[in-house]
Amino acid sequence: MFDMMTIMNKVKEAQAKIKDAQGKLVYLTTEGESGAGLVRVTVNGNRKVIKIEMDDSLVNLSDKEMLTDLIVAATNKAMEQIEIKIKEELKSATDGMMPNIPGMDFGNMF
């Protein structure tokens, strides 16, 4: 049988570590690119676009539709990559802290 006080203390400790890790997410960044690197978008762990770079060859009004498509594609790639990093960061913050309780899947908590 599990010691409820131990479990509750572990949960509180995990919550504190998660909160601390979430505060650090603003410093976690990743980049997505499209068009063979013609457009690059950088996002942070708070899922905010913080930088968009584009090759000078793209700055032409006749290419506006292509440019917006490339920006959307690069942003979506960056968002997919940051989601993976967020999960890894939050999981590592609580690694080994939660008890292995049959039927309880803490892996999807993040």
Side-chain angles (χ1 to χ4, degrees):
M1 177 160 278
F2 296 103
D3 177 12
M4 280 307 279
M5 287 303 281
T6 301
I7 292 173
M8 292 305 292
N9 286 337
K10 291 281 188 185
V11 168
K12 285 181 183 179
E13 190 176 339
Q15 287 173 333
K17 286 195 174 202
I18 290 169
K19 186 175 181 180
D20 182 52
Q22 286 173 331
K24 295 176 183 176
L25 292 179
V26 70
Y27 303 108
L28 188 65
T29 63
T30 193
E31 184 179 279
E33 67 173 45
S34 65
L38 292 174
V39 174
R40 284 185 293 285
V41 175
T42 305
V43 297
N44 67 18
N46 289 334
R47 297 174 185 90
K48 301 291 182 193
V49 175
I50 56 174
K51 185 177 178 182
I52 295 176
E53 299 173 276
M54 61 189 86
D55 190 271
D56 289 342
S57 67
L58 293 174
V59 184
N60 183 339
L61 292 179
S62 66
D63 293 331
K64 185 176 181 181
E65 186 175 343
M66 180 184 74
L67 180 59
T68 58
D69 289 345
L70 290 171
I71 291 171
V72 168
T75 302
N76 288 335
K77 285 181 184 179
M79 291 299 186
E80 289 170 8
Q81 292 172 359
I82 200 67
E83 192 65 36
I84 292 167
K85 285 186 175 186
I86 288 168
K87 287 181 179 181
E88 289 171 356
E89 186 75 17
L90 294 177
K91 185 175 180 179
S92 71
T94 60
D95 193 31
M97 293 185 60
M98 299 305 287
N100 185 13
I101 301 171
M104 296 290 287
D105 183 12
F106 292 107
N108 291 325
M109 191 175 190
F110 315 109

